[in-house]
DNA sequence: CGAATGCTTCGGTCTGGACCGAAGAATGCT
DNA sequence: AGCATTCTTCGGTCCAGACCGAAGCATTCG
């Protein structure tokens, strides 16, 4: 309906150009990773796509040039984002007619649910559980959410969202009482956030995030499974709710 | 939302594959030409795309293999059609974010409307007028719509639609009275239909279709414009409605 | 200030695939 | 049957572009 030949509506050279831009594995990977409105750094995207940073840099330049993606420089990072909802719609339209739609087996579906529920992200917790833990730490005053000091919008979380999380004195004492203090953070930042892709909200990373996962595992609160999935034990359910104030729904 | 990494929702290899299939000028041209549900023959599509038939044959095979296009053999022709509405939607989604969206000027828009109203298709009439003329000839009994003798579905019009139009005896007499009989059809089939891309319905082609356009022009009923557009004169409006029973709305 | 980090540009290699023409199979017309 | 038309397959050429590593800027941190 929209398209037709004869010069009546639109030529087709454009369609081929846009499709060609999407029709390469690394670039498609970028667009898919960016679908949902996330902004991600070039290095992250390169790891996702499984190509060298230099290669992906070229791809990103072409995507930006083609108007599918926008860039925002922030320090020495450059955050890439889909240029608009139309781009996401096009990606989804293509995904809908992807060949060999992998028959989502029951087993795969339940694995997917497990991943969303609780998993590791590098060395810290992620998924609904990871997000709930950060929420609980903020709610209990252990961490204090600090708005962006520069006043600018955070490229990942958007304007008005916390840009860093500070460990309070009472919070440090609290963790000490629980036997969860950190020996030495070394050069690593104590707290960092990491945007959870399945929850679209931040979870706790950094040295504290790693320490917490470490303790949880040591106490048998969470058990590592395969493919980064973790399972919460009965003791973990009780302990997380009692000692950290985690939302019971997140460990159910 | 639909798409994400980690095997949770869907990998992206499929997106890249589909997009790559669309990301080539000749193949995109095919998809655009087929948008709207038309079924076209390989040779037609090759001419559209501006490549050798052998080249396009390869492209069509890939499109069929990729599930974007279906093929139906009919005699020595093979008619290609989009595999489904999802394909058209994807093409349109891509077209929407095509770069350098050519600003549709008022002039272009009115030209488009004129093309839809009445134009020539090779040597016969097309557009709303062409379709209306065929309708009128059938309604008046000049032509008799013959269902597909083989009982199979017509590759262009679908099952249950007329596959050929026969000139009846009374119809021939009627055309004689109007001074519109044909001298000699030669080797060319007397009647053929041709699917009108703007109306999605058949208009009259073949020797009779050509003869009618010829007479209409000779009598000054229609005036040829540029770019295949034709305009109906005041006399034409009256004559077409009075002598042929054409729907007045089609010549308004 | 240097060192580390994040990203881009450049040079060189290599493969996929787009293209054509010629030959071959299938079908319809006379 | 014989011939024309339509489409596909095959062989061979050629170019776009995907890829990597090394080197070059810019920024941040110690």
């Amino acid at each position: 309906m929209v398209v037709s030949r004869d010069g009546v509506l639109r030529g087709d050279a454009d369609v081929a150009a846009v499709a060609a831009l999407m029709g390469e594995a690394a670039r498609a990977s970028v667009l898919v990773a960016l679908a949902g409105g996330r902004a991600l750094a070039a290095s992250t995207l390169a790891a996702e796509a499984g190509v060298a940073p230099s290669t992906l840099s070229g791809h990103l330049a072409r995507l930006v040039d083609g108007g599918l993606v926008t860039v925002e420089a922030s320090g020495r990072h450059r955050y890439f984002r889909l240029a608009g909802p139309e781009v996401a719609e096009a990606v989804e339209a293509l995904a809908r007619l992807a060949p060999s739609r992998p028959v989502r087996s029951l087993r795969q579906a339940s694995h997917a649910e497990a991943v969303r529920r609780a998993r590791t992200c590098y060395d810290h917790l992620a998924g609904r559980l990871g997000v709930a833990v950060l929420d609980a730490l903020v709610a209990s005053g252990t961490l204090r959410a600090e708005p962006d000091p520069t006043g600018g919008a955070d490229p990942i979380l958007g304007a008005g969202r916390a840009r860093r999380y500070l460990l309070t004195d009472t919070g440090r004492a609290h963790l000490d009482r629980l036997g969860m203090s950190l020996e030495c953070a070394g050069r690593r930042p104590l707290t960092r956030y990491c945007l959870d892709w399945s929850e679209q909200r931040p979870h706790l990373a950094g040295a504290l995030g790693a320490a917490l996962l470490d303790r949880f595992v040591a106490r048998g609160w969470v058990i590592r499974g395969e493919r980064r999935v973790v399972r919460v034990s009965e003791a973990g359910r009780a302990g997380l709710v009692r000692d950290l104030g985690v939302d019971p729904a997140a460990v159910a």
Side-chain angles (χ1 to χ4, degrees), chain A residues 116-127:
Chain A
R116 285 169 173 275
R117 198 184 311 129
R119 65 177 179 279
T120 57
C121 171
Y122 302 98
D123 58 0
H124 53 268
L125 274 180

Side-chain angles (χ1 to χ4, degrees), chain A residues 102-203:
Chain A
V103 275
R104 179 84 60 76
S105 69
L106 191 59
R107 171 167 171 65
Q108 282 177 314
S110 69
H111 174 76
E113 169 52 25
V115 166
R116 285 169 173 275
R117 198 184 311 129
R119 65 177 179 279
T120 57
C121 171
Y122 302 98
D123 58 0
H124 53 268
L125 274 180
R128 278 202 293 278
L129 179 59
V131 170
V133 166
L134 176 57
D135 283 346
L137 292 175
V138 172
S140 69
T142 303
L143 293 181
R144 188 153 45 81
E146 194 77 356
D148 182 356
T150 72
D154 181 286
I156 293 188
L157 296 179
R161 302 292 293 271
R163 190 158 198 173
R164 56 180 50 178
Y165 294 88
L166 302 179
L167 181 60
T168 62
D169 291 339
T170 61
R172 184 180 293 274
H174 182 214
L175 291 178
D176 277 344
R177 276 197 303 280
L178 294 173
M180 287 186 182
S181 59
L182 1 155
E183 292 77 12
C184 172
R187 292 186 42 195
R188 187 177 183 188
L190 188 61
T191 62
R192 273 201 184 286
Y193 66 75
C194 182
L195 187 66
D196 198 286
W197 60 255
S198 65
E199 298 299 300
Q200 296 295 318
R201 296 185 47 222
H203 58 240

Side-chain angles (χ1 to χ4, degrees), chain A residues 128-129 131-133 135-136 237 240-241 244-252:
Chain A
R128 278 202 293 278
L129 179 59
V131 170
V133 166
D135 283 346
R237 262 185 276 278
L240 286 167
V241 173
L244 292 177
V246 169
D247 180 2
V251 295

Side-chain angles (χ1 to χ4, degrees), chain A residues 45-99:
Chain A
L45 292 168
E48 275 277 328
V51 297
S54 62
T55 299
L56 199 83
S57 179
H59 286 311
L60 288 170
R62 292 185 61 178
L63 287 172
V64 171
D65 189 57
L68 298 187
V69 161
T70 59
V71 202
E72 198 170 341
S74 171
R76 50 188 175 190
H77 296 265
R78 295 185 75 203
Y79 291 94
F80 294 85
R81 191 192 291 275
L82 290 193
E86 328 82 59
V87 180
E89 281 165 22
V91 171
E92 292 183 15
L94 288 175
R96 267 192 286 277
L97 39 93

